[in-house]
Amino acid sequence: MLRQALAGARGALQQWRMLSSRRSSTSVSSAVNSMLLRHLKEHYLELSKMTPPPKVSPPSPFTIVEGALDRSGPVLKRTYGDEEISLRMMMVKTVLTSCSFTVDISKPGQKESLHFLCGLYPDALGIHSVSMRPKLETSGFLVVPTKYNGPVFQDLDEGMRDALHSYIEERGINENLFPFLQAWLYVKDNRNLMRWFRAVGTLIKERKQASDA
């Protein structure tokens, strides 16, 4: 009888310790969630109060693609004769004095387009690569090339490189785009960051509510 009583007491004590440990763990987890939610809210509000840069329009005849700020895909477009030209930003962290983008030049009836990867500075344009790519679809996703698309740009002789620079500059791809692209990147990055803070906060809040239930 005594053994049974002791065994029962030990079982009750072990169960109490487990429950106590769970309560402690839940309490710590709730505190961490609350702290994280507070920081997310503070950063979100701080971003929402930041003054955006003055609105800058792209140089004519480029036009802004509708909805470009809220989705991936081309940012600017224009026509040049029978050519369709689209420019899309490379969404990577860059210094404030430069930005990277791609330019696609295509013609009706052709399955491929001429694809430039460029770097732009306030007073200069640099070409990193030139390749032939399948035409971009309206989904906005880049098509990965599956065949040889051309030589390394720096391996081309100086005359060819200069001619390619002249080719895209004649189509308006030059340093005049820099003020617009810099402002666009700032607004895009700000929106993405606010969206990220909001999404993480929603997830943490749902987990917190679930654990409190």
Side-chain angles (χ1 to χ4, degrees):
M1 182 69 69
L2 180 59
R3 288 181 180 178
Q4 291 179 351
L6 289 174
R10 283 196 295 268
L13 179 61
Q14 185 177 8
Q15 186 175 15
W16 178 86
R17 285 175 177 172
M18 291 175 63
L19 291 172
S20 178
S21 176
R22 288 175 183 171
R23 291 194 189 99
S24 176
S25 177
T26 301
S27 177
V28 171
S29 179
S30 180
V32 170
N33 288 350
S34 297
M35 179 179 65
L36 179 54
L37 285 170
R38 185 176 70 253
H39 283 292
L40 288 168
K41 182 178 180 180
E42 289 174 356
H43 283 76
Y44 180 87
L45 292 175
E46 183 179 349
L47 277 174
S48 66
K49 294 175 183 177
M50 292 180 68
T51 303
K55 188 174 181 179
V56 181
S57 298
S60 179
F62 283 97
T63 59
I64 303 172
V65 176
E66 185 178 355
L69 273 173
D70 296 313
R71 62 173 185 264
S72 61
V75 176
L76 296 176
K77 63 179 181 180
R78 65 159 294 184
T79 57
Y80 183 84
D82 64 342
E83 298 174 353
E84 296 180 359
I85 300 173
S86 63
L87 183 152
R88 70 177 63 217
M89 299 300 299
M90 304 292 289
M91 294 306 297
V92 294
K93 282 289 183 181
T94 58
V95 293
L96 296 177
T97 55
S98 68
C99 54
S100 299
F101 60 90
T102 63
V103 178
D104 284 276
I105 303 174
S106 61
K107 292 186 177 183
Q110 295 187 359
K111 295 181 178 180
E112 293 185 313
S113 63
L114 196 55
H115 181 87
F116 291 81
L117 173 59
C118 303
L120 186 63
Y121 303 86
D123 58 353
L125 169 73
I127 299 176
H128 299 308
S129 69
V130 182
S131 60
M132 295 296 294
R133 299 279 183 96
K135 281 186 179 179
L136 294 175
E137 301 295 334
T138 55
S139 63
F141 293 101
L142 286 173
V143 178
V144 179
T146 57
K147 62 180 182 180
Y148 177 74
N149 286 276
V152 176
F153 185 74
Q154 292 303 320
D155 289 346
L156 298 172
D157 63 66
E158 185 177 356
M160 176 64 77
R161 295 198 303 269
D162 289 344
L164 286 168
H165 270 280
S166 297
Y167 177 82
I168 61 172
E169 288 174 359
E170 184 182 357
R171 287 154 176 77
I173 310 299
N174 54 46
E175 60 271 17
N176 293 333
L177 289 167
F178 186 81
F180 168 79
L181 296 180
Q182 186 183 45
W184 189 90
L185 271 178
Y186 176 90
V187 175
K188 177 75 170 180
D189 189 59
N190 186 278
R191 285 196 182 188
N192 284 341
L193 197 52
M194 289 183 67
R195 190 177 293 114
W196 184 85
F197 283 135
R198 189 166 56 244
V200 174
T202 299
L203 175 65
I204 298 300
K205 190 178 296 184
E206 288 177 352
R207 290 186 61 184
K208 181 177 184 297
Q209 291 172 348
S211 62
D212 292 342

